[in-house]
Amino acid sequence: MTRTPDIVLVEETGSTNADLAAAIRAGEGWPEGKWLVARRQTAGRGRQGRAWFDGAGNFMGSAVVAIGEGGPPPASLSFVAALAVRDAVAAVLGEDADLALKWPNDVLLSGGKLSGILLEMARGHIIVGIGVNLAKAPDLPDRKTAAVAQVTPPPALEDFAASLAGAFDRRLESWRTYGLGATLQAFLVQSIHAQGSPLTVHDTDGSVLSGSFAGLEESDGALRLRLADGSERVIRAGDIS
């Protein structure tokens, strides 16, 4: 059953992820399905400790997912979040928009990075932080970026927040009901990576590996990279190009 989105909108905060983590650790709790959205973040973070761009008119928000036994790996919620962002943006731009997904959780618009997703654990809960370039995209030296405003006037923050919350709720229900396999299949349908396509992986330790895409691990969504000698390497973190 899809819930009516419950969204708390604040003008400014340091980090919506940090706020929810503090509430959970203080015993105040934060119910699943309730979102904290900020018009401005002063200390937003991305994956691997990167600072997250704070563009006026962009979406910056977080929600909490309770983790129970027997469910898919908590880290695989990054696929749930990416699919939900893609759904919400497609609702604005139309299904024929040039949208694609890139492992592990990037949403691309015309090849440019449109969003960022950060998962953090707090006392048996996963905090899902999402940023989406609605009005403005940052200039980054190492990658192309994109914003919804490059295609159409961006939606009001409140409207996009409600749409994203609904999309996340639906994708979360599928993840829990049908397992990770169905979520990964949905991700691959929208992915830029075709079986056998060439990839370069920049690992978190600074090493670089080249090979071809050999699929995703059904157990946790890790990327399988086929090397030139025919062997496969399982990649669980890093940037790919």
Side-chain angles (χ1 to χ4, degrees):
M1 180 181 297
T2 301
R3 296 176 287 235
T4 301
D6 185 0
I7 298 165
V8 176
L9 179 62
V10 297
E11 290 300 313
E12 180 179 308
T13 191
S15 159
T16 55
N17 263 34
D19 290 348
L20 296 195
I24 291 169
R25 289 171 181 144
E28 300 168 9
W30 188 272
E32 190 173 285
K34 183 177 181 180
W35 285 74
L36 177 63
V37 177
R39 293 193 187 277
R40 183 166 185 264
Q41 282 192 149
T42 58
R45 292 163 294 129
R47 286 193 307 118
Q48 300 178 26
R50 298 186 182 100
W52 178 254
F53 174 66
D54 173 26
N58 288 348
F59 174 87
M60 292 159 281
S62 302
V64 165
V65 175
I67 299 303
E69 293 186 9
S76 65
L77 283 166
S78 63
F79 298 102
V80 173
L83 284 162
V85 170
R86 191 263 172 207
D87 292 345
V89 175
V92 175
L93 301 180
E95 285 295 334
D96 59 347
D98 187 10
L99 291 168
L101 301 178
K102 174 176 172 283
W103 187 92
N105 56 34
D106 283 345
V107 181
L108 306 181
L109 174 60
S110 300
K113 181 178 172 68
L114 182 67
S115 67
I117 292 164
L118 178 65
L119 304 184
E120 297 183 284
M121 178 75 81
R123 291 191 174 179
H125 297 76
I126 293 291
I127 301 168
V128 181
I130 297 176
V132 184
N133 299 329
L134 299 178
K136 189 185 301 183
D139 292 321
L140 299 179
D142 60 340
R143 68 192 66 195
K144 180 182 177 182
T145 59
V148 169
Q150 295 169 225
V151 179
T152 191
L157 180 58
E158 296 87 343
D159 294 340
F160 184 80
S163 178
L164 178 58
F168 185 83
D169 194 51
R170 291 187 292 274
R171 292 293 185 178
L172 179 62
E173 183 179 9
S174 174
W175 178 80
R176 282 177 168 155
T177 302
Y178 303 109
L180 179 56
T183 294
L184 294 180
Q185 184 57 41
F187 186 91
L188 287 171
V189 167
Q190 304 293 338
S191 174
I192 62 172
H193 309 301
Q195 193 78 10
S197 60
L199 290 178
T200 298
V201 179
H202 303 265
D203 207 343
T204 52
D205 63 3
S207 62
V208 178
L209 285 172
S210 293
S212 60
F213 181 65
L216 300 178
E217 288 284 284
E218 293 183 1
S219 60
D220 61 0
L223 183 143
R224 297 202 307 271
L225 183 72
R226 182 169 291 114
L227 305 180
D229 63 3
S231 65
E232 288 189 5
R233 184 76 61 88
V234 177
I235 307 296
R236 289 189 164 83
D239 289 324
I240 61 174
S241 59

